[in-house]
Amino acid sequence: MTYDLSKVISNGGEDDETIALILHEFSFLAPNEWIREQAQTQGLDIVQQLDSGIRFLDFRVMWTSSDSKWDWYCLHFMQSNQKAIEYLKLIREWMDQHPNEIVVMWFSKHGDECAVGQAQYPDVPQEHKMEFWNQILQVFDGLLFNTTVSQLNQTSIGDLIQRNHRLVLFAADYVEFTSASPLALDSCLIENWHNESITDEQKNFDFQLCTFSNSSIRADAKANSRFFLLSMASSSPSDQLKNAFEIKYLPFDVDSRIAECDGAFNVPNITMWCPPTLMDISLLTNYYAQRTIEFAFENNWTFPNAFYIDAIDVNGTIRTGTDPINPLSATGSNHDITAYAFVDTILAYNVRIGCASLDSRNDDCQKLTDILEQRRAVYPYTQWSDTVCGRNVDWPPFPTNTKMETELKRIV
């Protein structure tokens, strides 16, 4: 929900509880606009993201206050403008309008799948968790995946739609948050594979290629009733945060600050640019992520059950250009708003898997494949050279077979 962050630092926005409380209570003393820019990863609102084909939602929440009134808000360091329940109502409304769609959500504070109690939601009494859970049950009444009837690794999409078990909800702190409800799944069942950072894109590239090429990861997750989630997002390195702040608020000796910032990314040819916001870093991350996704698709490798990914754009794309999606840009020149057909590539992969056991001459399969290839061609995998903003062609280099084998042993 980072498209709708307020200028208030959330209680729990910082993992250290004491610092978090101080920052929350004295948010008015902080450079809030700048901090919000370092927390925003999405520009489309939740309905636009769903319209764009996103079906996994990383829904981060915390019990915090706004104008001295306490409630559950979304957060990404800053808390959301609206209460969390208001975004959930929008999701329910969208799902009612799209009765054949399935959505997976994960509730947590900071993406820690197995933390419980104080480690997950510091200083939040269980009664507040249960109150929120009961609100969630009311909003999604009749729509929730029910573990007494359906099984995550066996029930077909058709059966989920027929049963109206169309919202699969993972909950961190499962026992205290839901009282072990059969209408949710423990987020400890998530096989949460973390992407390497943009600060080491070569290692990141190798990691992604090895993950996609190893079909046993997803197969093992399914066999053990686990949900294979792969992060292709990134975060802000400390040198970027420090220097972006100083460039904005202490605008002298800028060249040396840019040089120090550039050094944190280890991307060739960044010599004149310090990404000013987290969104800029997300766009740069997407530029290189498209390469491994496209390569995996073309080589018939395996995708996870879901992705974390930032800077979702219209028509099922991820933006790889240089113009941040805040607000949503309608026009752009050169590669400002260049985007990659992320959702249609995943759909084409799913069609390929679903049609593999059918006759190769199956008309429906061929029609779907043709439609998706036409749509992918509108937003193709695109490289270009931009020495200012870190876009390189045919970089990083592909690893050798020996290096791939080493990386596979490291990650499996």
Side-chain angles (χ1 to χ4, degrees):
M1 303 303 113
T2 65
Y3 69 88
D4 194 30
L5 295 175
S6 70
K7 294 184 181 179
V8 178
I9 298 169
S10 175
N11 185 32
E14 162 62 42
D15 286 337
D16 185 289
E17 296 170 36
T18 303
I19 294 175
L21 183 60
I22 292 171
L23 289 172
H24 176 67
E25 294 297 328
F26 295 95
S27 285
F28 62 92
L29 296 176
N32 295 334
E33 183 65 42
W34 181 84
I35 295 175
R36 182 170 62 179
E37 290 177 346
Q38 310 313 313
Q40 183 180 359
T41 62
Q42 303 291 356
L44 301 189
D45 66 35
I46 189 59
V47 173
Q48 290 171 322
Q49 290 180 45
L50 290 166
D51 285 343
S52 204
I54 298 306
R55 297 294 179 268
F56 173 79
L57 302 174
D58 177 20
F59 201 79
R60 301 191 182 187
V61 292
M62 183 59 184
W63 175 258
T64 186
S65 65
S66 178
D67 297 326
S68 300
K69 297 178 181 178
W70 287 76
D71 212 314
W72 288 88
Y73 287 79
C74 296
L75 82 157
H76 197 227
F77 199 83
M78 315 299 280
Q79 68 189 47
S80 56
N81 279 307
Q82 300 183 67
K83 296 175 183 177
I85 199 69
E86 298 305 319
Y87 304 104
L88 297 179
K89 290 176 182 177
L90 291 173
I91 295 168
R92 175 62 198 246
E93 182 179 350
W94 186 91
M95 293 190 73
D96 285 342
Q97 294 169 358
H98 299 81
N100 293 318
E101 297 295 333
I102 297 170
V103 174
V104 180
M105 296 183 67
W106 175 18
F107 286 71
S108 73
K109 182 181 81 77
H110 198 195
D112 189 330
E113 62 270 24
C114 292
V116 299
Q118 281 286 103
Q120 186 65 243
Y121 298 112
D123 297 325
V124 181
Q126 186 177 6
E127 63 186 271
H128 293 322
K129 300 174 190 177
M130 288 305 303
E131 287 170 0
F132 186 39
W133 174 242
N134 287 328
Q135 288 182 309
I136 294 169
L137 291 178
Q138 290 176 12
V139 169
F140 294 113
D141 182 44
L143 201 62
L144 289 166
F145 181 91
N146 188 329
T147 59
T148 65
V149 179
S150 299
Q151 292 180 286
L152 193 63
N153 64 341
Q154 294 185 20
T155 306
S156 69
I157 289 175
D159 285 342
L160 289 177
I161 293 171
Q162 190 274 326
R163 295 170 186 171
N164 212 28
H165 291 181
R166 296 188 296 113
L167 183 67
V168 180
L169 197 159
F170 287 95
D173 196 15
Y174 169 71
V175 174
E176 288 198 8
F177 194 84
T178 74
S179 194
S181 171
L183 299 179
L185 294 130
D186 191 336
S187 67
C188 242
L189 292 172
I190 295 175
E191 194 80 32
N192 192 10
W193 287 61
H194 293 278
N195 191 44
E196 300 292 337
S197 173
I198 189 67
T199 56
D200 192 344
E201 184 54 35
Q202 180 67 68
K203 187 175 181 181
N204 196 26
F205 184 65
D206 297 348
F207 168 81
Q208 291 171 6
L209 290 176
C210 288
T211 303
F212 290 139
S213 66
N214 186 3
S215 61
S216 67
I217 299 172
R218 178 163 169 165
D220 289 347
K222 181 178 180 179
N224 291 286
S225 298
R226 298 179 69 80
F227 186 81
F228 176 24
L229 174 65
L230 176 64
S231 172
M232 298 193 79
S234 192
S235 58
S236 301
S238 57
D239 280 345
Q240 178 270 336
L241 289 170
K242 169 182 173 292
N243 287 287
F245 178 87
E246 292 175 348
I247 289 167
K248 183 167 184 174
Y249 292 102
L250 302 170
F252 55 86
D253 200 16
V254 171
D255 289 347
S256 64
R257 286 174 174 150
I258 289 176
E260 183 179 352
C261 177
D262 292 343
F265 288 92
N266 298 305
V267 174
N269 302 320
I270 298 185
T271 57
M272 301 169 57
W273 180 60
C274 181
T277 71
L278 180 55
M279 177 71 78
D280 291 289
I281 294 172
S282 297
L283 300 175
L284 181 62
T285 302
N286 283 353
Y287 176 82
Y288 291 107
Q290 65 167 337
R291 188 174 180 218
T292 51
I293 294 171
E294 184 69 14
F295 190 78
F297 177 76
E298 293 294 344
N299 283 275
N300 204 23
W301 288 350
T302 305
F303 287 146
N305 297 122
F307 291 86
Y308 283 117
I309 203 155
D310 294 331
I312 297 298
D313 209 344
V314 296
N315 299 323
T317 64
I318 53 173
R319 185 167 296 186
T320 58
T322 55
D323 191 9
I325 317 174
N326 49 351
L328 176 64
S329 301
T331 60
S333 60
N334 299 322
H335 289 288
D336 293 349
I337 59 171
T338 300
Y340 171 69
F342 171 69
V343 170
D344 283 331
T345 300
I346 305 306
L347 289 175
Y349 165 81
N350 287 334
V351 168
R352 181 189 291 165
I353 297 299
C355 290
S357 61
L358 302 177
D359 191 311
S360 61
R361 295 167 295 179
N362 184 284
D363 288 343
D364 289 337
C365 285
Q366 191 58 54
K367 287 177 182 177
L368 281 172
T369 299
D370 291 345
I371 289 170
L372 289 167
E373 282 305 315
Q374 290 170 14
R375 284 167 37 167
R376 275 174 27 87
V378 178
Y379 299 99
Y381 164 51
T382 306
Q383 298 184 95
W384 65 94
S385 180
D386 180 347
T387 56
V388 173
C389 296
R391 272 67 171 176
N392 292 282
V393 175
D394 295 332
W395 184 88
F398 282 92
T400 63
N401 289 337
T402 301
K403 191 174 182 182
M404 286 276 282
E405 290 171 4
T406 302
E407 181 68 8
L408 275 171
K409 291 177 181 177
R410 184 185 72 84
I411 66 177
V412 175

